[in-house]
Amino acid sequence: MSSADTGRKLLDADEARVARASRELTKIAAALVSRPMDRQLHAQMQAFLEQESQPALASWDALLARTPDELKERISTVLTVQAARRAS
């Protein structure tokens, strides 16, 4: 299992969706700087917007709606699992 697989399993569905979307958007934005008129890149961006944008924004809203106590609990859970994995 790769470290990316391990990291994803630590995240719930909303967290994983937001992380994937953030990585993809960062790659697209960086590519736009060097290739602003690349048709393939525009198609990739359009596909992202049509297929992944709305679910990612809904997940982002769900994360923003978490209370401070929910966030603290989630951080504690993730850190505990990470520590246990490192110890094994």
Side-chain angles (χ1 to χ4, degrees), residues 61-73:
D61 289 340
L63 296 179
L64 290 176
R66 291 181 180 178
T67 66
D69 287 339
E70 289 171 324
L71 293 171
K72 287 177 192 172
E73 178 63 30

Side-chain angles (χ1 to χ4, degrees), residues 10-28:
L10 286 174
L11 304 178
D12 67 26
D14 287 320
E15 294 162 347
R17 189 174 296 110
V18 167
R20 278 191 311 272
S22 180
R23 283 191 305 273
E24 184 64 20
L25 287 170
T26 299
K27 286 182 354 188
I28 291 169

Side-chain angles (χ1 to χ4, degrees), residues 8-74:
R8 274 192 287 273
K9 291 189 183 194
L10 286 174
L11 304 178
D12 67 26
D14 287 320
E15 294 162 347
R17 189 174 296 110
V18 167
R20 278 191 311 272
S22 180
R23 283 191 305 273
E24 184 64 20
L25 287 170
T26 299
K27 286 182 354 188
I28 291 169
L32 281 169
V33 171
S34 60
R35 305 184 331 260
M37 295 302 160
D38 183 311
R39 290 182 186 278
Q40 224 174 4
L41 183 56
H42 280 251
Q44 182 182 359
M45 182 172 53
Q46 184 173 2
F48 174 86
L49 291 171
E50 290 172 357
Q51 298 165 13
E52 299 178 48
S53 177
Q54 290 307 310
L57 289 171
S59 288
W60 180 247
D61 289 340
L63 296 179
L64 290 176
R66 291 181 180 178
T67 66
D69 287 339
E70 289 171 324
L71 293 171
K72 287 177 192 172
E73 178 63 30
R74 196 61 196 115

Side-chain angles (χ1 to χ4, degrees), residues 10 73-86:
L10 286 174
E73 178 63 30
R74 196 61 196 115
I75 291 167
S76 176
T77 299
V78 170
L79 292 176
T80 300
V81 171
Q82 283 181 326
R85 287 182 180 175
R86 284 188 192 125

